[in-house]
Amino acid sequence: MNLPETATIIEVGPRDGLQNEANFVPTEQKVAFIQSLFNSGFREMEVTSFVSPKWVPQMSDAAEVMEYVSHYDKTIVLTPNQRGVEAALQAGAKSVAVFLGVSSTFNQKNINRTTEEALKGLHPVIKELKMQGIFVRACISTAFHCPYEGAVDPDDTLALCQAFYEMGVDELSVADTIGKATPKESFALFSKLKEELPGILLTAHFHDTRKMALANIYAALLAGINRFDSSAGGLGGCPFAPGASGNVATEDVVYMLHEMGIETGINLDSLVKSIDIIKPYVSRELSSWYYREHQKA
Ligand code: HMG
Ligand code: MG
């Protein structure tokens, strides 16, 4: 078995985790959550998104959040367009995540654009970001399955990844948006991407709707991936992907990796305290195994 000695966890709870919450989480609590997470050892984190507040009201305080957290190592902000990039840079962002699904129906629902239209729009945006020395991450949604179109052809996923690769992005975060992929699909896609796109940072982003995310992470590890997005407390979900549940819970991923001897640099006790901070403000039950066990202790 060829497993890595270390893995990088990109915490996406403050963004993916909170964007889908029923109620607006006060800015102060978001900032306290982010600060506590950074103090738990994370080095890369999606902290907010610069998107239309009409579409995603939960992220409407992106600029305020950045005032308090933009100085951390690698605060990543998500944005779909030029307007968002301008606001992100003004707020001090040094790492920007653009996002696009493989499936056009999903993109119409999520960003009101087809895949082709959005890709064309992002091309000059990415070029400009790279000229300014900004780290660019491209998040690829519906890489396996689409809530509207069903199974996605892996060749279409590869083609979209290839398009971003050729635009010069630094990282691809490849997502199972609705948590439907199997370990077999995870291994096959990540093996293919590793082979076809040498030199780029490849990250796996699993939602846990069908409780297969940990198995999918293990399959991705076997395919040579050692970067994983996850969300503290298992919060998360895309408001425009019906049926999607939260991201895989960070604490369960970190526990699994540590038990396998794969270091992450994250302190689990401190991570649990970070989840305690946000718990009173979220509507869903936090059902990760590790967090529940800790509550009992
Ligand atoms: P639209 O209505 O087609 O755009 O929305 P528009 O250009 O006509 O603009 C509409 C309004 O939004 C205008 O304001 C714009 O100025 C404003 P108005 O004139 O009506 O007052 N606007 C913005 N405001 C702030 N920041 C911006 C911005 N852009 C326009 N960047 C748009 C198109 C893309 C803006 C909209 O559809 C949108 O914001 N969508 C975001 C959806 C979203 O955030 N989804 C969740 C993130 S993706 C995800 O979770 C998946 C991921 O986790 C991976 C996975 O799991 O799959 C990454
Ligand atoms: Mg997601």
Side-chain angles (χ1 to χ4, degrees):
M1 211 188 302
N2 202 5
L3 291 171
E5 284 176 12
T6 61
T8 300
I9 305 294
I10 298 97
E11 172 60 40
V12 298
R15 193 279 304 169
D16 202 331
L18 300 182
Q19 72 182 9
N20 204 27
E21 263 307 305
N23 301 312
F24 183 81
V25 175
T27 308
E28 206 184 325
Q29 305 309 324
K30 286 176 181 158
V31 170
F33 182 43
I34 294 165
Q35 288 171 334
S36 175
L37 287 166
F38 271 119
N39 291 335
S40 305
F42 294 93
R43 289 288 161 263
E44 302 182 36
M45 197 182 310
E46 281 188 1
V47 294
T48 187
S49 59
F50 286 86
V51 294
S52 165
K54 288 187 187 143
W55 284 63
V56 187
Q58 291 84 346
M59 296 284 111
S60 59
D61 58 350
E64 288 97 306
V65 169
M66 281 295 279
E67 266 180 47
Y68 296 94
V69 305
S70 64
H71 62 282
Y72 281 106
D73 265 10
K74 196 146 145 211
T75 48
I76 307 163
V77 299
L78 203 80
T79 178
N81 55 18
Q82 179 64 29
R83 161 92 196 263
V85 164
E86 279 164 19
L89 296 183
Q90 196 158 9
K94 308 268 180 314
S95 306
V96 166
V98 296
F99 58 98
L100 188 58
V102 182
S103 136
S104 253
T105 313
F106 173 75
N107 289 325
Q108 297 271 17
K109 306 272 185 192
N110 196 38
I111 52 169
N112 205 17
R113 306 282 184 276
T114 63
T115 312
E116 209 179 317
E117 283 166 354
L119 200 54
K120 208 168 150 202
L122 284 174
H123 197 180
V125 174
I126 292 170
K127 204 170 156 197
E128 179 59 30
L129 283 169
K130 285 318 305 164
M131 272 167 57
Q132 291 194 41
I134 302 291
F135 181 94
V136 181
R137 157 176 162 103
C139 301
I140 310 297
S141 290
T142 62
F144 299 91
H145 296 269
C146 168
Y148 306 101
E149 293 183 17
V152 167
D153 185 337
D155 286 342
D156 292 343
T157 302
L158 175 61
L160 185 62
C161 291
Q162 194 106 41
F164 280 112
Y165 182 78
E166 280 159 17
M167 286 183 210
V169 303
D170 300 281
E171 178 188 13
L172 287 165
S173 166
V174 180
D176 179 21
T177 309
I178 57 170
K180 195 174 188 314
T182 63
K184 191 175 169 185
E185 289 171 293
S186 168
F187 182 80
L189 183 63
F190 283 108
S191 301
K192 185 90 184 152
L193 294 175
K194 278 278 297 179
E195 190 186 312
E196 300 283 339
L197 309 175
I200 197 165
L201 290 174
L202 274 174
T203 301
H205 177 116
F206 288 107
H207 284 262
D208 205 17
T209 317
R210 292 167 182 77
K211 299 292 162 215
M212 289 196 282
L214 285 177
N216 284 330
I217 286 173
Y218 181 62
L221 278 166
L222 294 179
I225 301 299
N226 68 349
R227 294 174 58 83
F228 301 98
D229 291 352
S230 61
S231 181
L235 295 167
C238 176
F240 308 102
S245 74
N247 289 90
V248 64
T250 306
E251 57 277 18
D252 285 350
V253 178
V254 171
Y255 174 81
M256 179 179 90
L257 294 174
H258 287 183
E259 288 294 304
M260 292 199 294
I262 301 172
E263 260 321 306
T264 65
I266 292 156
N267 180 312
L268 272 169
D269 291 338
S270 175
L271 172 57
V272 165
K273 290 192 184 110
S274 306
I275 302 169
D276 287 339
I277 291 174
I278 207 68
K279 188 171 176 239
Y281 300 91
V282 296
S283 53
R284 74 179 68 189
E285 203 180 318
L286 303 181
S287 59
S288 81
W289 172 81
Y290 190 90
Y291 189 65
R292 266 187 297 130
E293 278 300 297
H294 179 88
Q295 296 295 290
K296 274 189 227 153

